[in-house]
Structures are given as C-alpha cells and as structure tokens.
Amino acid sequence: QSALTQPASVSGSPGQSITISCTGSRLDIGSYNFVSWYQQHPDKAPKLMIYDVNNRPSGVSNRFSGSKSGNTASLTISGLQAEDESDYYCVSFTSSSTYIFGTGTKVTV
Amino acid sequence: QVQLQESGPGLVKPSETLSLICSVSGYSISSAYYWGWIRQPPGKGLEWIGNVFPTGGTAYNPSLKSRLTMSVDTSKNQFSLKLTSVTAADTAVFYCARGIAPTAFDSWGQGALVTVSS
C-alpha cells in the first residue's frame, strides 16, 4: 500500500489560514470517515489533532479543523501561530482494515 | 492520566529479532479500544506497524505481517511487539500508543530508537 499524498511543505504568515491536503483513493479516504491528523514537533511524539475527519480531541484548539471531499481529506489551521510550525501527518483506515499514513507536510509560519 | 513507556534493546543485529514492550500506567489495558505500534525511520515519516486489541486480536501492516507478532499481557498491563529477521531498513523510533477510534491514537509513549547494525 502506498502512502497517502500530502504536499511536502505549506507556509503562511501569522494570523493567516492554511490548508493541508491528503489525497488517497476510493480504497481508503474515499470510503471511510476514519481520517485522523497528527502534529509532530521535532524529536517529539505525534499529537492527535483531528479524528473521524472533523472531530477535535479535548484540549485541541478550535483553530484546527478537518474536512473531506471524495478521496481527499484536508486539515485547515486558522489564525496561524508560531507554535503551529511543525510536521503534520494524515492517516486513513483502508479497505484491508489497515491504516495508511500520509507522506507528511512541514508547516512553516 | 494514562502514560505509556516503550522498553527494549536499542541495538539489534541484522537477521535477529527486535522485541519491544510498552508498559501502561494510570489506565487499565483492558479498558482501551485497542493499542498500537507506529515507527518512524530517522528523518522520515510515520509508518503504522499494527494494532492489538485487549482480547488479543491483531491487525498488522501487510508489508510487515510475515515478520510481526503483537500480544497483550493484561496481568502486567503491557503489550509487546516482536519483529523477526530485521535489516537496517527496520532502524527507527518505535512508538506505542492508545487507540480511541480507528486511526486515532490519543496517548503516545516517548518513543524508543532501535538501531539494526552488526
């Protein structure tokens, strides 16, 4: 199984909004609402930011939101802050009952 | 507050077996939806390894399935991973995590670097 496709990098200025895309296929993103997003700072464990496409765990800022259209999921960060500078990964459930991560996106503020 | 801690050898020789244990504290391992292992080669992205359910059921990454065994020990509140016939390509930071929904890992260990080298 090939990794989901994410842009290598996305940048924005403080206060702006950015969107990170995550493209899969009808065998994963296109068929299931089980898409999660993780934030990972250097040398740290990933942190769950979004699950089930658009649900935020307790404690995650409402500046983070998720959506899905067809075979592509998206993570939007609004009101960009310096602390949002990090790597972001999507992950989807697949038709084989396995998980597949995205290639990762480096966000620069 | 749930805490997870990976433990095991930091250096494994090629062709040997990589073994890791994830010790869970502050939460009963039997109460979770499932537990998972994820790895990250140095400088690269995340790769899902597999999941183990409190009942002992498992789900594995197809690319690793032939070499992988995961299990849970409810008496010790820990779960484990064994990966056989390792090569340098298996060098990575290995994370254990708690699953609360499909693809959703809400609590993670700090990660354990395992290097495969002679």
Side-chain angles (χ1 to χ4, degrees):
Chain A
Q1 47 185 7
S2 299
L4 305 175
T5 301
Q6 297 180 232
S9 62
V10 174
S11 63
S13 300
Q16 286 186 331
S17 292
I18 61 169
T19 296
I20 304 168
S21 62
C22 172
T23 302
S25 71
R26 62 177 176 80
L27 300 178
D28 38 67
I29 293 176
S31 293
Y32 304 96
N33 288 326
F34 297 134
V35 177
S36 298
W37 289 89
Y38 293 88
Q39 176 191 67
Q40 186 181 33
H41 289 297
D43 299 320
K44 297 294 186 183
K47 175 185 178 182
L48 180 65
M49 306 303 284
I50 295 287
Y51 68 100
D52 290 352
V53 174
N54 57 14
N55 287 330
R56 272 188 313 275
S58 174
V60 172
S61 170
N62 59 9
R63 297 187 297 104
F64 291 84
S65 62
S67 63
K68 190 186 88 166
S69 178
N71 298 335
T72 298
S74 299
L75 174 72
T76 297
I77 309 174
S78 59
L80 204 58
Q81 299 180 0
E83 65 203 50
D84 301 330
E85 187 161 294
S86 187
D87 292 329
Y88 291 84
Y89 294 90
C90 61
V91 58
S92 175
F93 186 80
T94 79
S95 59
S96 302
S97 297
T98 60
Y99 299 172
I100 184 75
F101 274 95
T103 50
T105 298
K106 181 177 182 59
V107 168
T108 302
V109 180
Chain B
Q1 171 128 353
V2 60
Q3 291 187 315
L4 295 87
Q5 178 69 58
E6 304 89 352
S7 61
L11 181 65
V12 181
K13 290 182 169 55
S15 81
E16 295 190 344
T17 297
L18 182 160
S19 297
L20 291 172
I21 289 174
C22 182
S23 299
V24 180
S25 59
Y27 189 85
S28 171
I29 203 166
S30 300
S31 298
Y33 182 179
Y34 65 97
W35 303 90
W37 289 96
I38 301 96
R39 70 179 181 178
Q40 186 170 36
K44 297 187 178 181
L46 300 171
E47 180 183 29
W48 175 73
I49 299 173
N51 299 335
V52 62
F53 296 81
T55 56
T58 56
Y60 296 154
N61 185 320
S63 68
L64 300 171
K65 188 173 183 177
S66 64
R67 301 191 289 131
L68 188 60
T69 302
M70 294 174 60
S71 62
V72 62
D73 188 335
T74 55
S75 67
K76 294 181 179 179
N77 219 46
Q78 59 189 208
F79 58 104
S80 66
L81 171 154
K82 290 185 188 297
L83 185 65
T84 63
S85 304
V86 297
T87 70
D90 294 308
T91 294
V93 174
F94 286 75
Y95 295 100
C96 59
R98 182 179 70 176
I100 60 169
T103 76
F105 296 105
D106 73 327
S107 297
W108 294 63
Q110 64 184 28
L113 173 62
V114 180
T115 301
V116 178
S117 175
S118 56

